[in-house]
Amino acid sequence: MLGVRVRALDAQRVKRELKESGALDTSKKARREGEFVVFPVLQEVEGFESIETEFDEFEGHKKFRDVLREKLTEEETALAKRAFDVIGDIAIIEVPQELEKHESTIAKALMGAHNNIRSVYKKSGDISGEERVRELKFLAGEDKTETIYKEHGMNLKLDVSTVYFSPRLSAERERILAQTKSGEVVVDLFAGIGPFAILLAKNRDIKVHAIDVNESAFEYLKENIRINKVADKVTPLLGDCREAAPKGEATRVIMNLPKSSSEFLDTAFDVIKEGVINYYAISREEDLYDSKIDFIEKIAKEKGRIIKIMNKKIVRPYAPYTYHIVIDIGVK
Ligand SMILES: C[S@@+](CC[C@H](N)C(=O)[O-])C[C@H]1O[C@@H](n2cnc3c(N)ncnc32)[C@H](O)[C@@H]1O
């Protein structure tokens, strides 16, 4: 089995990165080796030392596979994807087309193996539309789509069928928190149910304007502001950010609408006074940053702003040869 060996000091951070990039084999347990931790991975990961070694399997995953083996052939069991997203007590799985006839068996096996999962849904379409919502199909357990997800000390209430939310952006949210200083004025142009806005407000003495056009996301945003006791710091705004965002006040603008952020970059320059735009985008492997940076420079020039590219990095894989990336733009 393939593993990557990292210093124990870096283990928590690396684990999150491996998980979000989809490289971590979540069915197996990491192992401590003196000053190092070895993580099980599904493929070689650039920038890390790879080794061949053995890992123990997590009980839940072992049980899941064992139940599948009783019901499916060896080939089908191998095809069933054992990686899935858990949001609160809801699991969202992908079922390969060849296994569709067994989807309810797979979902029940998953519930049987993981006590924390009360409902299982299948991704039955891509994330689409302005509101970035995914079509789901109910497979097993309780047919309820509202849940509470806990992350970094926040409780986030949401309905997985009416809003966008990804647990895979957890490390990215932490990265933005690490950059943010008390005293900032943050405008989250595409706030959703508020994971960035609330995390920053809970941990810094700041003002946040959190905007979303999706009415359901906006209702959960308001509820999450209340649950997390940040009403004195976060102002929720419903509408198109082009109209709803306050102009010329922000020291940070968060633009997590990666598929069409380019259409809103001019708005981001109107919104920011001086500071950083966290600009997300989707890029092909052969041109991760260059054409995006050319575009950013073009819009900055049109807006008469001086910019400096401060960071650029892959957030997570998005599709084959395609990545969700972030570019941090310093603006004067
Ligand atoms: C990819 S989701 C990100 C949500 C949130 N930032 C998160 O990380 O969970 C993008 C969000 O932008 C919202 N959105 C799309 N177009 C918008 C617009 N013109 N103005 C404000 N919000 C918009 C969608 O409704 C959706 O909730």
Side-chain angles (χ1 to χ4, degrees):
M1 295 172 200
L2 196 59
V4 295
R5 186 157 53 186
V6 303
R7 289 187 323 159
L9 276 174
D10 301 327
Q12 282 309 319
R13 177 183 53 79
V14 172
K15 182 179 174 190
R16 271 196 303 275
E17 285 177 12
L18 292 173
K19 196 166 177 196
E20 286 179 20
S21 71
L24 187 69
D25 183 346
T26 52
S27 67
K28 302 195 183 71
K29 294 179 186 170
R31 228 189 38 241
R32 181 87 190 218
E33 275 184 2
E35 298 293 291
F36 297 91
V37 174
V38 187
F39 287 109
V41 288
L42 300 165
Q43 75 250 348
E44 296 223 351
V45 189
E46 217 186 299
F48 290 104
E49 180 197 358
S50 295
I51 56 168
E52 269 299 326
T53 183
E54 294 301 315
F55 296 99
D56 291 333
E57 222 173 355
F58 279 112
E59 230 8 77
H61 283 270
K62 191 166 172 295
K63 218 163 137 192
F64 182 36
R65 200 201 37 212
D66 290 347
V67 178
L68 285 182
R69 268 192 180 144
E70 284 169 21
K71 317 258 176 188
L72 311 183
T73 65
E74 218 25 68
E75 263 172 31
E76 288 169 335
T77 302
L79 258 182
K81 296 204 175 177
R82 276 185 283 144
F84 49 88
D85 282 340
V86 180
I87 303 179
D89 54 4
I90 298 176
I92 300 179
I93 65 172
E94 276 179 63
V95 181
Q97 218 175 359
E98 306 90 302
L99 292 185
E100 267 174 10
K101 58 180 184 293
H102 299 300
E103 61 192 24
S104 118
T105 306
I106 295 171
K108 283 182 192 142
L110 186 63
M111 281 193 68
H114 296 272
N115 296 335
N116 55 326
I117 296 172
R118 296 185 60 186
S119 312
V120 182
Y121 291 85
K122 168 180 107 154
K123 295 180 183 176
S124 71
D126 286 336
I127 291 179
S128 66
E130 186 184 44
E131 297 178 350
R132 313 305 299 145
V133 177
R134 188 196 290 284
E135 228 175 273
L136 298 173
K137 181 180 172 196
F138 171 66
L139 291 184
E142 209 182 314
D143 188 4
K144 57 117 201 160
T145 46
E146 187 175 83
T147 191
I148 294 187
Y149 171 82
K150 293 179 197 240
E151 178 188 288
H152 307 319
M154 297 182 280
N155 287 309
L156 297 169
K157 199 169 183 184
L158 69 144
D159 184 325
V160 292
S161 70
T162 59
V163 303
Y164 172 93
F165 181 74
S166 175
R168 298 187 194 191
L169 293 176
S170 166
E172 181 55 19
R173 292 190 262 274
E174 268 200 313
R175 194 187 73 88
I176 299 299
L177 173 62
Q179 285 184 3
T180 307
K181 298 184 180 60
S182 285
E184 286 205 30
V185 178
V186 178
V187 176
D188 187 350
L189 290 179
F190 313 104
I193 60 154
F196 282 92
I198 292 170
L199 179 67
L200 301 185
K202 261 187 99 77
N203 291 281
R204 299 285 185 267
D205 187 9
I206 57 172
K207 286 264 166 249
V208 187
H209 300 273
I211 306 155
D212 207 282
V213 77
N214 174 345
E215 283 187 27
S216 174
F218 179 68
E219 289 307 316
Y220 283 108
L221 171 64
K222 286 193 294 186
E223 175 80 348
N224 290 329
I225 290 170
R226 192 188 62 73
I227 295 173
N228 292 280
K229 301 187 176 65
V230 288
D232 54 332
K233 296 182 183 172
V234 185
T235 308
L237 296 161
L238 173 65
D240 185 327
C241 62
R242 283 174 279 226
E243 280 94 51
K247 309 288 185 305
E249 282 180 35
T251 59
R252 177 175 304 277
V253 177
I254 302 173
M255 298 187 70
N256 186 28
L257 181 66
K259 270 218 143 173
S260 36
S261 52
S262 60
E263 294 166 29
F264 298 87
L265 189 56
D266 54 348
T267 299
F269 280 118
D270 294 339
V271 166
I272 199 149
K273 185 172 155 204
E274 183 173 345
V276 178
I277 299 174
N278 302 116
Y279 180 78
Y280 296 90
I282 303 295
S283 286
R284 295 275 304 167
E285 189 175 67
E286 61 274 16
D287 177 17
L288 277 178
Y289 307 112
D290 289 354
S291 58
K292 302 287 187 299
I293 291 173
D294 288 349
F295 175 76
I296 291 165
E297 283 169 348
K298 175 175 160 282
I299 304 293
K301 200 167 165 204
E302 282 169 19
K303 289 285 179 183
R305 308 300 297 261
I306 299 167
I307 62 159
K308 184 176 168 203
I309 302 302
M310 303 175 73
N311 299 299
K312 51 186 196 305
K313 75 182 275 281
I314 290 175
V315 176
R316 62 186 177 123
Y318 185 79
Y321 311 107
T322 311
Y323 295 88
H324 184 168
I325 61 148
V326 58
I327 301 175
D328 298 332
I329 313 165
V331 186
K332 281 206 168 158

mmCIF file of all heavy atoms in Angstrom, residues 172 175-176 178-181 184 251-253 269 272 274-279 289 293 296-297 306-314 326-332:
data_model
loop_
_atom_site.group_PDB
_atom_site.id
_atom_site.type_symbol
_atom_site.label_atom_id
_atom_site.label_comp_id
_atom_site.label_asym_id
_atom_site.label_seq_id
_atom_site.Cartn_x
_atom_site.Cartn_y
_atom_site.Cartn_z
ATOM 1 N N GLU A 172 -9.102 25.510 3.286
ATOM 2 C CA GLU A 172 -9.065 26.816 2.623
ATOM 3 C C GLU A 172 -9.665 27.882 3.544
ATOM 4 O O GLU A 172 -9.158 28.999 3.637
ATOM 5 C CB GLU A 172 -9.813 26.750 1.285
ATOM 6 C CG GLU A 172 -9.826 28.045 0.493
ATOM 7 C CD GLU A 172 -8.449 28.643 0.206
ATOM 8 O OE1 GLU A 172 -7.436 27.942 0.285
ATOM 9 O OE2 GLU A 172 -8.393 29.860 -0.074
ATOM 10 N N ARG A 175 -7.074 28.797 5.924
ATOM 11 C CA ARG A 175 -6.015 29.608 5.303
ATOM 12 C C ARG A 175 -6.429 31.074 5.261
ATOM 13 O O ARG A 175 -5.643 31.965 5.559
ATOM 14 C CB ARG A 175 -5.738 29.076 3.880
ATOM 15 C CG ARG A 175 -4.465 29.585 3.240
ATOM 16 C CD ARG A 175 -4.364 29.140 1.794
ATOM 17 N NE ARG A 175 -5.288 29.866 0.940
ATOM 18 C CZ ARG A 175 -5.019 31.026 0.342
ATOM 19 N NH1 ARG A 175 -3.813 31.566 0.469
ATOM 20 N NH2 ARG A 175 -5.922 31.622 -0.402
ATOM 21 N N ILE A 176 -7.708 31.302 4.928
ATOM 22 C CA ILE A 176 -8.200 32.686 4.864
ATOM 23 C C ILE A 176 -8.239 33.292 6.276
ATOM 24 O O ILE A 176 -7.872 34.447 6.476
ATOM 25 C CB ILE A 176 -9.602 32.747 4.195
ATOM 26 C CG1 ILE A 176 -9.525 32.222 2.750
ATOM 27 C CG2 ILE A 176 -10.176 34.164 4.228
ATOM 28 C CD1 ILE A 176 -8.617 32.992 1.816
ATOM 29 N N ALA A 178 -6.236 32.575 8.707
ATOM 30 C CA ALA A 178 -4.853 32.887 9.106
ATOM 31 C C ALA A 178 -4.380 34.213 8.502
ATOM 32 O O ALA A 178 -3.562 34.918 9.089
ATOM 33 C CB ALA A 178 -3.934 31.747 8.679
ATOM 34 N N GLN A 179 -4.927 34.578 7.315
ATOM 35 C CA GLN A 179 -4.523 35.842 6.665
ATOM 36 C C GLN A 179 -5.232 37.052 7.257
ATOM 37 O O GLN A 179 -4.817 38.180 7.061
ATOM 38 C CB GLN A 179 -4.976 35.837 5.199
ATOM 39 C CG GLN A 179 -4.216 34.997 4.267
ATOM 40 C CD GLN A 179 -4.733 35.184 2.828
ATOM 41 O OE1 GLN A 179 -5.622 35.982 2.543
ATOM 42 N NE2 GLN A 179 -4.155 34.443 1.925
ATOM 43 N N THR A 180 -6.384 36.817 7.889
ATOM 44 C CA THR A 180 -7.276 37.928 8.259
ATOM 45 C C THR A 180 -6.906 38.491 9.630
ATOM 46 O O THR A 180 -6.719 37.745 10.581
ATOM 47 C CB THR A 180 -8.743 37.429 8.263
ATOM 48 O OG1 THR A 180 -9.006 36.826 7.006
ATOM 49 C CG2 THR A 180 -9.713 38.565 8.497
ATOM 50 N N LYS A 181 -6.831 39.822 9.680
ATOM 51 C CA LYS A 181 -6.445 40.467 10.949
ATOM 52 C C LYS A 181 -7.643 41.202 11.541
ATOM 53 O O LYS A 181 -8.519 41.661 10.802
ATOM 54 C CB LYS A 181 -5.332 41.485 10.693
ATOM 55 C CG LYS A 181 -4.075 40.848 10.156
ATOM 56 C CD LYS A 181 -2.959 41.875 9.997
ATOM 57 C CE LYS A 181 -1.706 41.229 9.450
ATOM 58 N NZ LYS A 181 -1.896 40.600 8.123
ATOM 59 N N GLU A 184 -10.277 44.348 10.208
ATOM 60 C CA GLU A 184 -10.611 44.315 8.779
ATOM 61 C C GLU A 184 -12.105 44.505 8.524
ATOM 62 O O GLU A 184 -12.934 44.247 9.411
ATOM 63 C CB GLU A 184 -10.187 42.964 8.167
ATOM 64 C CG GLU A 184 -8.682 42.834 7.986
ATOM 65 C CD GLU A 184 -8.324 41.838 6.888
ATOM 66 O OE1 GLU A 184 -9.115 41.680 5.937
ATOM 67 O OE2 GLU A 184 -7.241 41.239 6.985
ATOM 68 N N THR A 251 -11.486 45.749 3.184
ATOM 69 C CA THR A 251 -10.041 45.470 3.171
ATOM 70 C C THR A 251 -9.810 44.035 2.681
ATOM 71 O O THR A 251 -8.683 43.624 2.490
ATOM 72 C CB THR A 251 -9.448 45.597 4.585
ATOM 73 O OG1 THR A 251 -10.122 44.679 5.447
ATOM 74 C CG2 THR A 251 -9.603 47.016 5.112
ATOM 75 N N ARG A 252 -10.922 43.261 2.568
ATOM 76 C CA ARG A 252 -10.825 41.900 2.028
ATOM 77 C C ARG A 252 -12.122 41.570 1.305
ATOM 78 O O ARG A 252 -13.213 41.827 1.833
ATOM 79 C CB ARG A 252 -10.605 40.890 3.159
ATOM 80 C CG ARG A 252 -10.556 39.433 2.698
ATOM 81 C CD ARG A 252 -10.202 38.491 3.841
ATOM 82 N NE ARG A 252 -8.959 38.883 4.457
ATOM 83 C CZ ARG A 252 -7.746 38.564 4.013
ATOM 84 N NH1 ARG A 252 -7.621 37.805 2.940
ATOM 85 N NH2 ARG A 252 -6.662 38.986 4.616
ATOM 86 N N VAL A 253 -11.998 40.994 0.099
ATOM 87 C CA VAL A 253 -13.171 40.549 -0.653
ATOM 88 C C VAL A 253 -12.983 39.071 -0.968
ATOM 89 O O VAL A 253 -11.961 38.671 -1.540
ATOM 90 C CB VAL A 253 -13.345 41.358 -1.960
ATOM 91 C CG1 VAL A 253 -14.531 40.831 -2.761
ATOM 92 C CG2 VAL A 253 -13.539 42.838 -1.659
ATOM 93 N N PHE A 269 -13.298 45.009 -7.482
ATOM 94 C CA PHE A 269 -12.438 46.208 -7.431
ATOM 95 C C PHE A 269 -13.221 47.436 -6.940
ATOM 96 O O PHE A 269 -12.659 48.313 -6.304
ATOM 97 C CB PHE A 269 -11.803 46.477 -8.800
ATOM 98 C CG PHE A 269 -10.607 45.598 -9.068
ATOM 99 C CD1 PHE A 269 -10.607 44.703 -10.124
ATOM 100 C CD2 PHE A 269 -9.475 45.668 -8.262
ATOM 101 C CE1 PHE A 269 -9.512 43.884 -10.374
ATOM 102 C CE2 PHE A 269 -8.371 44.855 -8.502
ATOM 103 C CZ PHE A 269 -8.389 43.950 -9.558
ATOM 104 N N ILE A 272 -13.510 46.844 -2.966
ATOM 105 C CA ILE A 272 -12.325 46.916 -2.103
ATOM 106 C C ILE A 272 -11.774 48.345 -2.034
ATOM 107 O O ILE A 272 -11.688 49.050 -3.044
ATOM 108 C CB ILE A 272 -11.229 45.910 -2.549
ATOM 109 C CG1 ILE A 272 -10.256 45.694 -1.391
ATOM 110 C CG2 ILE A 272 -10.522 46.334 -3.824
ATOM 111 C CD1 ILE A 272 -9.655 44.327 -1.358
ATOM 112 N N GLU A 274 -8.729 49.016 -0.022
ATOM 113 C CA GLU A 274 -7.323 48.638 -0.127
ATOM 114 C C GLU A 274 -7.174 47.350 0.654
ATOM 115 O O GLU A 274 -7.748 47.236 1.741
ATOM 116 C CB GLU A 274 -6.444 49.732 0.494
ATOM 117 C CG GLU A 274 -4.985 49.449 0.355
ATOM 118 C CD GLU A 274 -4.094 50.604 0.819
ATOM 119 O OE1 GLU A 274 -4.600 51.728 0.990
ATOM 120 O OE2 GLU A 274 -2.905 50.353 1.024
ATOM 121 N N GLY A 275 -6.475 46.355 0.126
ATOM 122 C CA GLY A 275 -6.345 45.089 0.863
ATOM 123 C C GLY A 275 -6.176 43.916 -0.079
ATOM 124 O O GLY A 275 -5.403 43.992 -1.032
ATOM 125 N N VAL A 276 -6.945 42.840 0.185
ATOM 126 C CA VAL A 276 -6.743 41.594 -0.564
ATOM 127 C C VAL A 276 -8.059 41.087 -1.134
ATOM 128 O O VAL A 276 -9.078 41.060 -0.435
ATOM 129 C CB VAL A 276 -6.147 40.490 0.355
ATOM 130 C CG1 VAL A 276 -5.970 39.177 -0.411
ATOM 131 C CG2 VAL A 276 -4.825 40.928 0.948
ATOM 132 N N ILE A 277 -8.017 40.685 -2.407
ATOM 133 C CA ILE A 277 -9.140 39.949 -2.991
ATOM 134 C C ILE A 277 -8.732 38.477 -3.046
ATOM 135 O O ILE A 277 -7.710 38.135 -3.654
ATOM 136 C CB ILE A 277 -9.465 40.435 -4.426
ATOM 137 C CG1 ILE A 277 -9.872 41.916 -4.421
ATOM 138 C CG2 ILE A 277 -10.575 39.583 -5.046
ATOM 139 C CD1 ILE A 277 -10.077 42.514 -5.823
ATOM 140 N N ASN A 278 -9.505 37.605 -2.385
ATOM 141 C CA ASN A 278 -9.289 36.157 -2.484
ATOM 142 C C ASN A 278 -10.136 35.679 -3.661
ATOM 143 O O ASN A 278 -11.346 35.536 -3.549
ATOM 144 C CB ASN A 278 -9.683 35.442 -1.191
ATOM 145 C CG ASN A 278 -8.914 35.957 0.016
ATOM 146 O OD1 ASN A 278 -9.484 36.514 0.948
ATOM 147 N ND2 ASN A 278 -7.607 35.805 0.005
ATOM 148 N N TYR A 279 -9.452 35.475 -4.805
ATOM 149 C CA TYR A 279 -10.128 35.216 -6.070
ATOM 150 C C TYR A 279 -10.047 33.727 -6.402
ATOM 151 O O TYR A 279 -8.941 33.180 -6.546
ATOM 152 C CB TYR A 279 -9.422 36.041 -7.158
ATOM 153 C CG TYR A 279 -9.981 35.907 -8.542
ATOM 154 C CD1 TYR A 279 -11.137 36.583 -8.901
ATOM 155 C CD2 TYR A 279 -9.336 35.128 -9.509
ATOM 156 C CE1 TYR A 279 -11.657 36.469 -10.191
ATOM 157 C CE2 TYR A 279 -9.843 35.015 -10.797
ATOM 158 C CZ TYR A 279 -11.006 35.693 -11.116
ATOM 159 O OH TYR A 279 -11.512 35.579 -12.388
ATOM 160 N N TYR A 289 -2.550 29.251 -13.912
ATOM 161 C CA TYR A 289 -2.630 30.626 -13.403
ATOM 162 C C TYR A 289 -2.461 31.714 -14.464
ATOM 163 O O TYR A 289 -3.018 32.804 -14.320
ATOM 164 C CB TYR A 289 -1.548 30.841 -12.334
ATOM 165 C CG TYR A 289 -1.588 29.810 -11.230
ATOM 166 C CD1 TYR A 289 -0.552 28.872 -11.084
ATOM 167 C CD2 TYR A 289 -2.651 29.755 -10.336
ATOM 168 C CE1 TYR A 289 -0.589 27.918 -10.078
ATOM 169 C CE2 TYR A 289 -2.695 28.800 -9.324
ATOM 170 C CZ TYR A 289 -1.667 27.888 -9.201
ATOM 171 O OH TYR A 289 -1.704 26.941 -8.209
ATOM 172 N N ILE A 293 -4.194 35.376 -14.426
ATOM 173 C CA ILE A 293 -3.462 36.565 -13.968
ATOM 174 C C ILE A 293 -3.491 37.655 -15.038
ATOM 175 O O ILE A 293 -3.667 38.839 -14.735
ATOM 176 C CB ILE A 293 -2.023 36.185 -13.534
ATOM 177 C CG1 ILE A 293 -2.126 35.349 -12.248
ATOM 178 C CG2 ILE A 293 -1.162 37.427 -13.310
ATOM 179 C CD1 ILE A 293 -0.831 34.750 -11.756
ATOM 180 N N ILE A 296 -6.798 39.279 -14.642
ATOM 181 C CA ILE A 296 -6.847 40.113 -13.419
ATOM 182 C C ILE A 296 -6.125 41.439 -13.687
ATOM 183 O O ILE A 296 -6.617 42.524 -13.341
ATOM 184 C CB ILE A 296 -6.189 39.355 -12.233
ATOM 185 C CG1 ILE A 296 -7.057 38.161 -11.816
ATOM 186 C CG2 ILE A 296 -5.950 40.286 -11.052
ATOM 187 C CD1 ILE A 296 -6.363 37.142 -10.920
ATOM 188 N N GLU A 297 -4.948 41.355 -14.350
ATOM 189 C CA GLU A 297 -4.171 42.576 -14.635
ATOM 190 C C GLU A 297 -4.942 43.509 -15.565
ATOM 191 O O GLU A 297 -4.935 44.731 -15.405
ATOM 192 C CB GLU A 297 -2.803 42.206 -15.215
ATOM 193 C CG GLU A 297 -1.874 41.730 -14.106
ATOM 194 C CD GLU A 297 -0.578 41.096 -14.594
ATOM 195 O OE1 GLU A 297 -0.475 40.813 -15.809
ATOM 196 O OE2 GLU A 297 0.301 40.875 -13.738
ATOM 197 N N ILE A 306 -3.755 49.456 -8.629
ATOM 198 C CA ILE A 306 -2.419 48.842 -8.616
ATOM 199 C C ILE A 306 -2.532 47.526 -7.856
ATOM 200 O O ILE A 306 -3.058 47.501 -6.737
ATOM 201 C CB ILE A 306 -1.397 49.764 -7.916
ATOM 202 C CG1 ILE A 306 -1.319 51.074 -8.700
ATOM 203 C CG2 ILE A 306 -0.031 49.100 -7.806
ATOM 204 C CD1 ILE A 306 -0.601 52.171 -7.970
ATOM 205 N N ILE A 307 -2.052 46.454 -8.493
ATOM 206 C CA ILE A 307 -2.188 45.146 -7.829
ATOM 207 C C ILE A 307 -0.854 44.415 -7.732
ATOM 208 O O ILE A 307 0.097 44.726 -8.455
ATOM 209 C CB ILE A 307 -3.201 44.230 -8.564
ATOM 210 C CG1 ILE A 307 -2.713 43.928 -9.992
ATOM 211 C CG2 ILE A 307 -4.591 44.794 -8.550
ATOM 212 C CD1 ILE A 307 -3.357 42.682 -10.567
ATOM 213 N N LYS A 308 -0.839 43.452 -6.818
ATOM 214 C CA LYS A 308 0.319 42.561 -6.690
ATOM 215 C C LYS A 308 -0.222 41.172 -6.395
ATOM 216 O O LYS A 308 -1.073 41.024 -5.511
ATOM 217 C CB LYS A 308 1.175 43.054 -5.519
ATOM 218 C CG LYS A 308 2.427 42.292 -5.337
ATOM 219 C CD LYS A 308 3.245 42.908 -4.221
ATOM 220 C CE LYS A 308 4.349 41.928 -3.869
ATOM 221 N NZ LYS A 308 4.869 42.106 -2.548
ATOM 222 N N ILE A 309 0.225 40.167 -7.165
ATOM 223 C CA ILE A 309 -0.226 38.792 -6.888
ATOM 224 C C ILE A 309 0.567 38.293 -5.676
ATOM 225 O O ILE A 309 1.793 38.198 -5.705
ATOM 226 C CB ILE A 309 0.007 37.870 -8.116
ATOM 227 C CG1 ILE A 309 -0.735 38.407 -9.348
ATOM 228 C CG2 ILE A 309 -0.410 36.418 -7.806
ATOM 229 C CD1 ILE A 309 -2.234 38.571 -9.216
ATOM 230 N N MET A 310 -0.160 37.998 -4.603
ATOM 231 C CA MET A 310 0.508 37.648 -3.354
ATOM 232 C C MET A 310 0.700 36.139 -3.194
ATOM 233 O O MET A 310 1.722 35.690 -2.697
ATOM 234 C CB MET A 310 -0.276 38.215 -2.181
ATOM 235 C CG MET A 310 -0.419 39.722 -2.336
ATOM 236 S SD MET A 310 -1.437 40.445 -1.093
ATOM 237 C CE MET A 310 -0.353 40.342 0.298
ATOM 238 N N ASN A 311 -0.316 35.363 -3.560
ATOM 239 C CA ASN A 311 -0.232 33.890 -3.497
ATOM 240 C C ASN A 311 -1.042 33.326 -4.642
ATOM 241 O O ASN A 311 -2.026 33.941 -5.056
ATOM 242 C CB ASN A 311 -0.917 33.314 -2.242
ATOM 243 C CG ASN A 311 -0.303 33.799 -0.970
ATOM 244 O OD1 ASN A 311 0.863 33.549 -0.730
ATOM 245 N ND2 ASN A 311 -1.081 34.493 -0.158
ATOM 246 N N LYS A 312 -0.669 32.134 -5.057
ATOM 247 C CA LYS A 312 -1.538 31.385 -5.962
ATOM 248 C C LYS A 312 -1.362 29.912 -5.635
ATOM 249 O O LYS A 312 -0.237 29.464 -5.378
ATOM 250 C CB LYS A 312 -1.228 31.693 -7.433
ATOM 251 C CG LYS A 312 0.219 31.579 -7.848
ATOM 252 C CD LYS A 312 0.345 32.067 -9.264
ATOM 253 C CE LYS A 312 1.615 31.694 -9.970
ATOM 254 N NZ LYS A 312 2.889 31.997 -9.453
ATOM 255 N N LYS A 313 -2.482 29.193 -5.544
ATOM 256 C CA LYS A 313 -2.347 27.767 -5.208
ATOM 257 C C LYS A 313 -3.578 26.974 -5.613
ATOM 258 O O LYS A 313 -4.661 27.540 -5.820
ATOM 259 C CB LYS A 313 -2.039 27.585 -3.718
ATOM 260 C CG LYS A 313 -3.195 27.804 -2.768
ATOM 261 C CD LYS A 313 -2.737 27.643 -1.332
ATOM 262 C CE LYS A 313 -2.733 26.216 -0.840
ATOM 263 N NZ LYS A 313 -4.033 25.663 -0.460
ATOM 264 N N ILE A 314 -3.373 25.664 -5.726
ATOM 265 C CA ILE A 314 -4.499 24.760 -5.974
ATOM 266 C C ILE A 314 -5.241 24.569 -4.659
ATOM 267 O O ILE A 314 -4.629 24.329 -3.617
ATOM 268 C CB ILE A 314 -3.991 23.403 -6.499
ATOM 269 C CG1 ILE A 314 -3.450 23.553 -7.926
ATOM 270 C CG2 ILE A 314 -5.094 22.348 -6.438
ATOM 271 C CD1 ILE A 314 -2.813 22.306 -8.491
ATOM 272 N N VAL A 326 -6.926 29.250 -6.160
ATOM 273 C CA VAL A 326 -7.134 30.569 -5.546
ATOM 274 C C VAL A 326 -5.944 31.456 -5.894
ATOM 275 O O VAL A 326 -4.809 30.987 -5.941
ATOM 276 C CB VAL A 326 -7.319 30.464 -4.014
ATOM 277 C CG1 VAL A 326 -6.143 29.817 -3.320
ATOM 278 C CG2 VAL A 326 -7.623 31.840 -3.398
ATOM 279 N N ILE A 327 -6.250 32.717 -6.175
ATOM 280 C CA ILE A 327 -5.199 33.722 -6.373
ATOM 281 C C ILE A 327 -5.500 34.857 -5.398
ATOM 282 O O ILE A 327 -6.608 35.409 -5.401
ATOM 283 C CB ILE A 327 -5.187 34.241 -7.836
ATOM 284 C CG1 ILE A 327 -4.950 33.069 -8.800
ATOM 285 C CG2 ILE A 327 -4.120 35.322 -8.013
ATOM 286 C CD1 ILE A 327 -5.029 33.435 -10.281
ATOM 287 N N ASP A 328 -4.544 35.160 -4.516
ATOM 288 C CA ASP A 328 -4.725 36.275 -3.573
ATOM 289 C C ASP A 328 -4.140 37.526 -4.227
ATOM 290 O O ASP A 328 -2.942 37.582 -4.533
ATOM 291 C CB ASP A 328 -4.009 35.989 -2.250
ATOM 292 C CG ASP A 328 -4.561 34.749 -1.542
ATOM 293 O OD1 ASP A 328 -5.749 34.431 -1.746
ATOM 294 O OD2 ASP A 328 -3.801 34.120 -0.784
ATOM 295 N N ILE A 329 -5.025 38.516 -4.428
ATOM 296 C CA ILE A 329 -4.612 39.727 -5.161
ATOM 297 C C ILE A 329 -4.496 40.877 -4.152
ATOM 298 O O ILE A 329 -5.500 41.283 -3.547
ATOM 299 C CB ILE A 329 -5.673 40.116 -6.223
ATOM 300 C CG1 ILE A 329 -6.098 38.887 -7.054
ATOM 301 C CG2 ILE A 329 -5.183 41.244 -7.102
ATOM 302 C CD1 ILE A 329 -7.388 39.119 -7.867
ATOM 303 N N GLY A 330 -3.290 41.401 -3.992
ATOM 304 C CA GLY A 330 -3.113 42.595 -3.150
ATOM 305 C C GLY A 330 -3.532 43.810 -3.970
ATOM 306 O O GLY A 330 -3.140 43.948 -5.126
ATOM 307 N N VAL A 331 -4.357 44.703 -3.398
ATOM 308 C CA VAL A 331 -4.888 45.842 -4.165
ATOM 309 C C VAL A 331 -4.632 47.152 -3.428
ATOM 310 O O VAL A 331 -4.850 47.266 -2.227
ATOM 311 C CB VAL A 331 -6.426 45.696 -4.359
ATOM 312 C CG1 VAL A 331 -6.953 46.799 -5.279
ATOM 313 C CG2 VAL A 331 -6.800 44.325 -4.894
ATOM 314 N N LYS A 332 -4.189 48.157 -4.226
ATOM 315 C CA LYS A 332 -4.040 49.512 -3.666
ATOM 316 C C LYS A 332 -5.009 50.441 -4.320
ATOM 317 O O LYS A 332 -5.406 50.222 -5.451
ATOM 318 C CB LYS A 332 -2.619 49.995 -3.914
ATOM 319 C CG LYS A 332 -1.658 49.383 -2.918
ATOM 320 C CD LYS A 332 -0.474 50.289 -2.744
ATOM 321 C CE LYS A 332 0.322 49.806 -1.540
ATOM 322 N NZ LYS A 332 1.672 50.236 -1.549
#
